Amino acid sequence: MTYDFLQHYWWFIVSLLGALLVFMMFVQGANSVMFSLGGGNGKECQLVINSTGRKWELTFTTLVTFGGAFFASFPLFYSTSFGGAYWLWMIILFTFVLQAVSYEFQGKMGNFLGAKTFQWFLVVNGIVGPLLLGIAVATFFNGANFIIEKSNILGGGASPIISSWGNASHGLDALLNGWNWIFGLAVFFLARILGILYVINNVDNDNIRSRGTVRLVGNLVPFLVFFIVSVAHILMEDGFAVDPDTDGIYLEPGKYLDNFITLWPLAVMLLAGVVLFLYGCAKTIFSPAYIRGIWPAGIGAVLAVLSLLLCAGWNNTAYYPSYADLQSSLTITNSCSSEFTLTVMFYVSLLVPFVVAYIAYVWRKMDRRN
């Protein structure tokens, strides 16, 4: 195994975890429309909460695993983004903590805030979590405001700082980019669609399923608009390319389109993901008896997101570009761990199939128990 192979391998692992996280955000998506699916009926709304409440730990665990894998394999990104853009990430993490607290305390005796308050907290998490996470991921293509000075580590100070944010907003400046919002809204409506499909599959209630089909159409249309615009912008915009000989970063017109052409299996994966996703949605809408749309649509979402993330980092591309200083942009070669660390983690990663099997087992046990 060469160092180059390990770098590409770990970008694949991180991208896969990110794609799985997007799929697992069906919990947030379902919570964001719980009152709509419940139709104002408290008991039916509680059915939705009970259903998502059996899965939220898996979403939270995937989020933590995604962050941990990034920290271990590409620590410079972790310190730059999580350390520099901390206000954006803190808001995201706060909403997930709010979710955990809401599930735990809404039914507790002596809850002076009332169950309805915690249910609205779940709605807040369902809206803010996917939206801001999508905006954060959009910076992989649109850039962020940071500066890298690796020479500072030789400065002799007690706490040398390698990376710093270019302004005092510490990540909130990502909210000022309209393209980030378009990508974030695409992720937000995707989470809603997956959440609705999950509820239709998991909650055996004709009223909820009937409302879910209508809500599915209402969220599919804006998702397709934001998704198509986002992908078109990514394919047409100038990308952040890396010179393999000098490691210099430069702008290349149509870089991401070139990535999909050069790495054509990624284009096939993206197309297959879109087809599977649309199939799961369309069959659910036009076949009232069909309730398993979450699976083709979920697999399609994972394939589509995975292809986009791989496109952002492979083929000599800066996956975390800096518009404050172009040469500070992060690539899989200048931000990764040592060869020894990546090699050790490679063997640890062979346990991933067992972890996935355990998650599948727990998933089935939870559904059977309830």
Side-chain angles (χ1 to χ4, degrees):
M1 293 182 295
T2 65
Y3 198 17
D4 180 70
F5 166 79
L6 291 169
Q7 291 164 348
H8 284 79
Y9 172 80
W10 275 102
W11 182 252
F12 170 79
I13 294 297
V14 168
S15 299
L16 178 60
L17 289 171
L20 291 174
L21 175 60
V22 171
F23 166 69
M24 292 302 300
M25 282 198 301
F26 68 78
V27 173
Q28 280 66 40
N31 286 340
S32 70
V33 292
M34 68 167 73
F35 293 122
S36 179
L37 292 177
N41 186 311
K43 291 183 178 179
E44 293 182 356
C45 181
Q46 191 61 48
L47 289 176
V48 177
I49 297 175
N50 291 345
S51 179
T52 59
R54 297 195 295 268
K55 302 296 190 307
W56 75 268
E57 295 99 332
L58 299 178
T59 305
F60 199 88
T61 301
T62 306
L63 175 64
V64 174
T65 305
F66 171 70
F70 237 136
F71 171 74
S73 54
F74 301 98
L76 189 53
F77 167 80
Y78 193 90
S79 63
T80 301
S81 183
F82 290 83
Y86 56 80
W87 281 122
L88 179 62
W89 288 109
M90 285 299 293
I91 295 173
I92 294 173
L93 292 175
F94 175 76
T95 65
F96 277 88
V97 172
L98 195 65
Q99 175 200 55
V101 171
S102 299
Y103 278 123
E104 180 68 22
F105 289 100
Q106 64 176 294
K108 291 287 187 181
M109 294 293 294
N111 170 21
F112 68 93
L113 292 177
K116 184 70 72 173
T117 300
F118 286 106
Q119 290 174 2
W120 276 108
F121 286 165
L122 291 176
V123 174
V124 170
N125 168 252
I127 295 174
V128 178
L131 178 61
L132 292 189
L133 196 60
I135 289 175
V137 173
T139 60
F140 284 11
F141 298 98
N142 301 322
N145 193 358
F146 64 90
I147 300 172
I148 302 293
E149 291 289 350
K150 289 188 177 182
S151 59
N152 287 350
I153 200 170
L154 303 175
S159 179
I161 299 175
I162 299 176
S163 58
S164 60
W165 210 250
N167 55 43
S169 70
H170 291 291
L172 295 182
D173 48 328
L175 302 178
L176 301 179
N177 188 315
W179 292 112
N180 289 349
W181 275 95
I182 292 175
F183 193 94
L185 286 169
V187 174
F188 166 70
F189 283 107
L190 174 61
R192 278 195 161 196
I193 292 168
L194 294 176
I196 293 170
L197 290 172
Y198 168 76
V199 171
I200 290 175
N201 174 255
N202 196 255
V203 179
D204 187 7
N205 183 285
D206 291 338
N207 292 330
I208 291 177
R209 285 174 173 169
S210 177
R211 296 187 199 103
T213 302
V214 177
R215 304 303 182 272
L216 181 59
V217 176
N219 285 275
L220 181 60
V221 173
F223 164 74
L224 290 176
V225 172
F226 288 119
F227 177 75
I228 291 172
V229 172
S230 295
V231 172
H233 173 253
I234 289 172
L235 296 179
M236 292 187 296
E237 71 173 332
D238 293 345
F240 297 80
V242 183
D243 187 328
D245 297 322
T246 64
D247 290 331
I249 314 296
Y250 62 95
L251 290 176
E252 178 182 319
K255 171 59 177 172
Y256 301 111
L257 176 60
D258 177 69
N259 285 357
F260 277 116
I261 295 174
T262 304
L263 306 174
W264 59 266
L266 297 186
V268 175
M269 185 189 303
L270 177 62
L271 180 60
V274 171
V275 171
L276 277 172
F277 176 80
L278 292 177
Y279 170 79
C281 293
K283 190 166 183 179
T284 301
I285 293 171
F286 295 108
S287 301
Y290 183 72
I291 62 173
R292 298 180 62 83
I294 180 61
W295 301 117
I299 294 172
V302 170
L303 292 177
V305 175
L306 176 60
S307 66
L308 288 172
L309 292 177
L310 291 177
C311 175
W314 281 359
N315 196 36
N316 297 315
T317 308
Y319 70 85
Y320 197 47
S322 169
Y323 54 74
D325 175 28
L326 194 59
Q327 300 311 312
S328 293
S329 302
L330 300 184
T331 70
I332 63 174
T333 58
N334 69 13
S335 64
C336 65
S337 295
S338 67
E339 184 174 2
F340 174 78
T341 301
L342 295 183
T343 301
V344 172
M345 293 197 307
F346 170 82
Y347 292 107
V348 174
S349 71
L350 298 180
L351 298 175
V352 169
F354 296 97
V355 176
V356 173
Y358 173 75
I359 292 174
Y361 171 76
V362 172
W363 182 297
R364 292 178 63 86
K365 291 288 287 185
M366 285 178 175
D367 285 343
R368 288 176 178 176
R369 184 183 63 188
N370 292 276

